């Protein structure tokens, strides 16, 4: 590698090395090439065995692994950039990976030889550490920006209350003020923390008693607060639901959380801000899910097995929370179950010698879980999107890995109260496990050859949503699907014909038609799905990407594709029908009976029967709207 050392003798930062030092560094180096989506630095890589990469060509992306199961691409590396520098200052496993975004080539230095060069040459060491500092700052800003995205509605509207209704006025201190002054301010303001800010708007850091105590031990009470402030603080936006702040404070009771409007501080949240709801069983259960280390523990926490969770849902019903908000909460709870099951399955793969995944993937849920309309009675509808891997030389190894991983995931979900799908719509099935390019091809084939038998599988697929992994894969597939469906003229008529096969059982003069002596009505098939299907058909036609039925309805209203009265009527009907299903399932769970969606009409009181009739009337109205559209299409055709 002497020629390589000569080639880079005038290139920063290698030009800072003496010839002997540079030759010694490059003597241990190798040139490696990486294909698109191949890992350059893996999150599973132990820092002691790591390497430093200097990019010669191509582009790579840095990926942060978040606690909610989401992978976020936070920055890109180009020729002249380094990858793996953070291993020089880190201990243990990394929470960041570097992946080739296109074909890339790098000069690879062993960590030990790179550290030796830094020890020998102060200027080279300073230049590298400056890059490390810039990289950490860049990553921090990117993570801070991307994790404050208000469009990512990952949690339900618990109690329909938001942070803005609980926040207190913020307390600020200038970064030039002393630590002693900060301690006095904490005492006089009777707060656990103050914000460091030059303009009383933009927060530069936070100061609390922990930082004060650290400064006291070091004898630095006269130091400016900017030297000891915490720059890596947790924050929320004022329009977030209180769950975001409450979940954090449940396990960080001494913390003060800044509340932001955009980037400007508008308030503080602390534990005393909402003591009335801080003991909710929901937060305790979700904490236990995140720390569960066995499938037996997770199974005991699942909605169908956990009595505390069931009582909590009953409490929300009693407090007149909207049905669609309650099922969104259940769905978010289920998301947490899914993420922990996937984590446990990956750990099993490592323990069995298969290692961690060699490519990115995204686990998706479909159907009612995809729409965040999950109740207690459900089965699995899921799949997986793999990053494109056809050009990788270990293609068969990748396919074997994900075949085994998905078998584990589906089996564990089954053990936790999510029964295996009788229709085979599960990630372990080859039909529902594809690379991004394969999924794109499958969608094209599906839309060209869709028949009555497969239309229902496709209908379930339309409502997919990512819950774990590289969400960018799901977003790209969503864009492809939305565009393809809008340019598939046969799709809407087929979807309409399929949903009209089951009629809403409401006769003239509001009489509910039932086919059995017990006078039972299938809430799901006879009513809920008629609303859900109709709204989906409209959303597909108008290119609305959101899969949540209520949000679809609101998008249709906002874009003048549906009247306000029709939208509100459908939302109200869905709320009532979901409540009927929840109450029915809770009764069945309490009695130890199998879960169904068959409600006994004759057992309803007068008020509930009228409520059910109103909901059925709204569902029938949605069906009639589809019939009108179908007839217009026939005339125009």
């Amino acid at each position: 590698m002497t020629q390589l050392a000569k080639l880079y003798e005038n290139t920063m930062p290698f030009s800072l090395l003496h010839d002997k030092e540079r030759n010694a560094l490059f003597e241990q180096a190798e040139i490696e090439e990486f294909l698109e989506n191949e890992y350059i630095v893996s999150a599973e890589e132990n820092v002691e065995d790591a390497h430093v990469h200097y990019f010669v060509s191509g582009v790579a992306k840095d990926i942060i692994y978040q606690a909610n199961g989401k992978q976020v691409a936070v920055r890109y590396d180009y020729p002249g950039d380094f990858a793996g520098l953070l291993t020089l200052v880190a201990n243990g496993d990394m929470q960041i990976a570097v992946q080739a975004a296109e074909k890339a080539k790098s000069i690879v230095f062993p960590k030990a030889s790179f550290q030796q060069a830094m020890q020998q040459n102060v200027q080279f060491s300073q230049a590298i550490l400056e890059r490390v500092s810039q990289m950490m700052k860049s990553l921090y800003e990117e993570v801070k920006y991307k994790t404050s995205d208000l469009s990512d509605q990952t949690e339900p509207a618990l109690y329909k209350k938001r942070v803005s209704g609980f926040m207190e006025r913020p307390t600020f201190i200038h970064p030039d003020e002393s630590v002693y002054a900060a301690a006095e301010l904490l005492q006089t303001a009777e707060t656990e923390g103050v914000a460091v800010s030059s303009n009383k708007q933009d927060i530069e850091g936070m100061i609390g008693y922990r930082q004060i105590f650290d400064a006291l031990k070091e004898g630095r009470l006269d130091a400016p607060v900017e030297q000891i402030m915490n720059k890596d603080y947790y924050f929320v936006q004022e329009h977030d639901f209180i769950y975001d702040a409450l979940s954090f404070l449940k396990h960080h009771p001494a913390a003060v959380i800044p509340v932001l409007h955009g980037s400007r501080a508008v308030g503080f949240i602390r534990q005393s801000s909402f003591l009335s709801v801080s003991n909710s069983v929901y937060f305790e259960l979700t904490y236990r899910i995140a720390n569960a280390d066995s499938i037996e523990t997770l199974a005991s926490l699942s909605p169908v097995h956990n009595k505390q969770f069931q009582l909590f849902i009953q409490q929300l019903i009693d407090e007149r929370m909207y049905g669609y908000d309650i099922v969104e909460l259940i769905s978010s709870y289920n998301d947490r179950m899914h993420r922990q099951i996937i984590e446990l399955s990956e750990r099993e793969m490592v323990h069995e010698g298969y290692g961690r995944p060699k490519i990115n993937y995204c686990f998706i849920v479909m159907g009612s879980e995809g729409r965040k309309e999950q109740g207690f009675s459900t089965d699995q509808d899921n799949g997986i999107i793999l990053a494109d891997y056809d050009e990788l030389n270990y293609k068969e190894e990748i396919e074997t890995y994900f075949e085994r991983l998905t078998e584990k995931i589906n089996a564990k979900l089954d053990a936790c109260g999510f029964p295996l799908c009788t229709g085979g719509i599960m990630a372990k099935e080859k039909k529902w496990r594809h690379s991004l390019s394969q999924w794109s091809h499958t969608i094209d084939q599906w839309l060209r050859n869709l028949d009555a038998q497969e239309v229902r599988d496709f209908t379930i697929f339309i409502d997919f949503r990512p819950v774990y992994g590289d969400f960018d894969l799901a977003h790209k597939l969503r864009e492809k699907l939305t565009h393809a469906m809008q340019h598939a003229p046969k799709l809407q008529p087929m979807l309409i014909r399929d949903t009209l096969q089951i009629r809403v059982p409401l006769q003239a003069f509001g009489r509910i038609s039932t086919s059995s002596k017990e006078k039972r009505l299938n809430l799901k098939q006879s009513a809920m799905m008629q609303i859900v299907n109709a709204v989906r058909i409209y959303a597909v036609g108008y290119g609305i990407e959101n899969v949540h039925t209520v949000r679809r309805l609101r998008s249709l209203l906002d874009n003048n594709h549906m009247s306000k009265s029709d939208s509100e009527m459908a939302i109200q009907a869905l709320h009532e029908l979901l409540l009927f299903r929840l109450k029915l399932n809770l009764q069945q769970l309490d009695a130890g009976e199998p879960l169904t969606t068959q409600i006994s009409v004759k057992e309803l009181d007068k008020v509930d029967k009228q409520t059910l009739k109103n909901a059925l009337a709204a569902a029938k109205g949605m069906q009639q709207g589809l019939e009108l559209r179908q007839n217009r299409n026939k005339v125009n055709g």
Side-chain angles (χ1 to χ4, degrees):
M1 290 292 177
T2 305
Q3 292 181 338
L4 201 58
K6 184 71 176 175
L7 181 64
Y8 285 92
E9 66 178 353
N10 295 318
T11 302
M12 282 288 290
F14 303 112
S15 59
L16 298 173
L17 294 168
H18 299 303
D19 290 345
K20 185 177 179 180
E21 296 166 342
R22 188 167 48 253
N23 289 335
L25 176 63
F26 277 88
E27 186 177 344
Q28 302 295 321
E30 295 181 356
I31 295 178
E32 289 190 16
E33 295 185 358
F34 302 89
L35 297 174
E36 183 179 353
N37 292 328
E38 191 171 6
Y39 281 110
I40 298 169
V41 177
S42 171
E44 70 181 77
E45 189 173 352
N46 191 289
V47 294
E48 297 305 319
D49 304 321
H51 296 78
V52 175
H53 295 256
Y54 178 80
F55 288 108
V56 177
S57 65
V59 179
K61 59 183 177 181
D62 295 356
I63 301 167
I64 290 286
Y65 292 84
Q66 294 182 309
N68 67 354
K70 184 176 181 179
Q71 297 170 204
V72 181
V74 290
R75 53 169 278 153
Y76 286 85
D77 300 314
Y78 301 93
D81 289 334
F82 284 94
L85 286 183
L86 293 182
T87 64
L88 300 172
V89 296
N91 293 313
D93 293 331
M94 298 291 290
Q95 292 302 311
I96 182 172
V98 181
Q99 184 183 42
E102 60 183 41
K103 286 186 177 180
K105 183 184 294 186
S106 71
I107 303 173
V108 187
F109 303 96
K111 177 183 174 181
S113 61
F114 208 85
Q115 287 178 321
Q116 184 178 2
M118 292 174 65
Q119 291 170 358
Q120 293 174 342
N121 190 300
V122 175
Q123 287 183 305
F124 179 71
S125 178
Q126 289 176 338
I128 295 300
L129 290 176
E130 176 63 25
R131 291 200 180 204
V132 171
S133 176
Q134 292 174 354
M135 183 179 295
M136 293 179 72
K137 181 179 179 181
S138 172
L139 290 174
Y140 169 74
E141 292 298 330
E142 285 290 321
V143 171
K144 179 180 174 182
Y145 167 72
K146 292 195 175 185
T147 56
S148 63
D149 181 4
L150 292 178
S151 66
D152 185 15
Q153 301 183 35
T154 57
E155 294 297 344
L158 184 62
Y159 300 131
K160 300 297 285 182
K161 296 176 182 177
R162 299 180 184 269
V163 165
S164 57
F166 293 84
M167 67 185 186
E168 306 168 23
R169 289 175 62 86
T171 305
F172 297 102
I173 189 169
H174 195 277
D176 294 336
E177 292 283 340
S178 68
V179 177
Y180 185 82
E184 286 190 319
L185 183 58
L186 283 170
Q187 188 174 15
T188 56
E190 297 182 346
T191 183
E192 294 88 350
V194 297
V196 181
S197 175
S198 300
N199 59 7
K200 294 189 176 182
Q201 287 189 348
D202 301 308
I203 299 181
E204 299 164 39
M206 292 291 295
I207 290 286
Y209 283 108
R210 179 175 178 178
Q211 287 74 38
I212 300 293
F213 290 146
D214 288 344
L216 178 62
K217 286 189 296 184
E218 298 169 5
R220 302 181 61 196
L221 290 179
D222 292 330
V225 293
E226 66 178 348
Q227 292 184 6
I228 67 158
M229 64 186 181
N230 176 24
K231 297 180 181 179
D232 187 21
Y233 56 88
Y234 180 84
F235 66 91
V236 292
Q237 296 278 345
E238 64 176 331
H239 293 302
D240 287 349
F241 294 113
I242 64 167
Y243 173 78
D244 295 312
L246 189 51
S247 292
F248 183 82
L249 288 174
K250 179 78 176 179
H251 305 290
H252 301 83
V256 169
I257 303 174
V259 181
L260 306 183
H261 177 82
S263 62
R264 182 170 58 88
V266 294
F268 278 175
I269 287 287
R270 48 184 175 163
Q271 194 176 65
S272 59
S273 301
F274 29 40
L275 288 175
S276 60
V277 294
S278 63
N279 290 322
S280 169
V281 67
Y282 182 82
F283 307 112
E284 185 61 36
L285 291 176
T286 53
Y287 176 77
R288 288 168 60 189
I289 288 173
N291 290 275
D293 57 4
S294 71
I295 200 63
E296 291 77 19
T297 300
L298 273 178
S300 71
L301 296 169
S302 72
V304 294
H305 295 149
N306 193 276
K307 190 65 177 178
Q308 285 180 296
F309 186 81
Q310 294 161 20
L311 291 172
F312 174 69
I313 296 302
Q314 183 63 59
Q315 177 190 349
L316 299 185
I317 294 173
D318 294 342
E319 294 191 13
R320 300 181 181 276
M321 188 172 176
Y322 286 119
Y324 47 79
D325 281 336
I326 298 176
V327 295
E328 185 176 352
L329 183 145
I330 295 174
S331 300
S332 291
Y333 187 88
N334 289 342
D335 286 356
R336 291 170 179 269
M337 297 282 296
H338 279 66
R339 288 195 288 265
Q340 193 65 11
I341 283 170
I342 296 169
E343 291 278 1
L344 291 178
S345 299
E346 281 196 7
R347 289 179 206 168
E348 270 190 21
M349 294 292 286
V350 172
H351 180 71
E352 293 172 7
Y354 296 105
R356 285 174 57 86
K358 294 185 180 298
I359 60 170
N360 281 11
Y361 73 94
C362 184
F363 194 87
I364 58 175
V365 290
M366 298 174 269
S368 59
E369 179 69 13
R371 295 189 303 274
K372 284 205 165 189
E373 294 163 6
Q374 192 69 276
F376 290 98
S377 175
T378 181
D379 62 0
Q380 294 184 47
D381 289 317
N382 52 57
I384 197 167
I385 311 167
L386 308 177
D388 290 333
Y389 60 90
D390 279 347
E391 295 187 12
L392 299 180
N393 55 15
Y394 39 86
K395 176 181 176 181
E396 291 185 3
E397 181 183 340
I398 289 171
E399 291 176 347
T400 300
Y401 182 95
F402 283 102
E403 180 180 351
R404 289 175 176 166
L405 176 64
T406 51
E407 284 176 354
K408 290 179 180 294
I409 294 170
N410 289 141
K412 287 178 172 57
L413 285 168
D414 182 35
C416 288
F418 303 95
L420 297 174
C421 177
T422 55
I425 306 176
M426 293 174 290
K428 70 175 184 175
E429 302 294 337
K430 182 61 179 174
K431 179 178 178 179
W432 302 100
R433 188 179 67 250
H434 296 303
S435 70
L436 181 61
S437 294
Q438 290 167 347
W439 270 117
S440 181
H441 177 71
T442 298
I443 289 171
D444 289 337
Q445 291 287 102
W446 229 336
L447 292 174
R448 276 197 296 268
N449 305 312
L450 197 62
D451 56 26
Q453 184 176 353
E454 285 218 325
V455 69
R456 291 183 185 176
D457 282 359
F458 186 72
T459 299
I460 292 171
F461 170 70
I462 290 173
D463 294 342
F464 79 80
R465 176 176 60 83
V467 295
Y468 185 93
D470 185 353
F471 282 34
D472 282 345
L473 292 170
H475 296 331
K476 289 175 182 176
L477 187 61
R478 173 59 60 188
E479 290 176 1
K480 161 68 181 181
L481 178 63
T482 301
H483 180 268
M485 289 191 299
Q486 282 191 284
H487 294 81
K490 295 181 180 180
L491 176 62
Q492 279 214 10
M494 187 167 286
L495 292 176
I496 293 174
R497 283 198 300 273
D498 181 68
T499 196
L500 290 180
Q501 287 182 12
I502 300 176
R503 296 288 177 170
V504 177
L506 189 67
Q507 305 301 321
F509 307 109
R511 179 174 171 272
I512 299 175
S513 174
T514 54
S515 56
S516 63
K517 292 182 180 179
E518 294 82 12
K519 293 191 178 299
R520 295 190 179 276
L521 174 77
N522 190 315
L523 287 169
K524 179 179 177 181
Q525 291 183 0
S526 300
M528 274 190 295
M529 292 313 300
Q530 307 313 316
I531 296 174
V532 169
N533 289 344
V535 174
R536 181 193 299 112
I537 290 168
Y538 291 127
V540 166
Y542 291 114
I544 295 171
E545 291 192 351
N546 205 312
V547 300
H548 188 276
T549 302
V550 171
R551 294 189 190 114
R552 278 172 167 168
L553 281 162
R554 287 172 178 159
S555 293
L556 290 167
L557 174 62
D558 292 343
N559 291 283
N560 299 315
H561 299 314
M562 182 176 285
S563 70
K564 185 176 181 180
S565 60
D566 287 345
S567 175
E568 289 180 348
M569 189 180 299
I571 290 174
Q572 180 65 23
L574 190 62
H575 154 62
E576 300 290 1
L577 291 167
L578 288 168
L579 276 187
F580 275 123
R581 186 183 69 175
L582 286 169
K583 292 175 182 178
L584 172 66
N585 286 167
L586 284 170
Q587 291 170 3
Q588 292 167 336
L589 286 167
D590 191 52
E593 299 172 352
L595 295 178
T596 71
T597 56
Q598 298 276 352
I599 191 170
S600 174
V601 176
K602 69 178 182 180
E603 292 179 7
L604 297 178
D605 60 28
K606 186 176 181 180
V607 174
D608 282 345
K609 189 173 291 186
Q610 186 58 51
T611 300
L612 179 59
K613 287 181 179 180
N614 292 341
L616 291 174
K620 188 167 186 176
M622 297 292 285
Q623 263 198 344
Q624 290 170 338
L626 290 180
E627 285 184 294
L628 289 173
R629 173 171 285 218
Q630 184 183 49
N631 293 332
R632 283 198 301 268
N633 291 338
K634 288 180 180 179
V635 172
N636 295 333

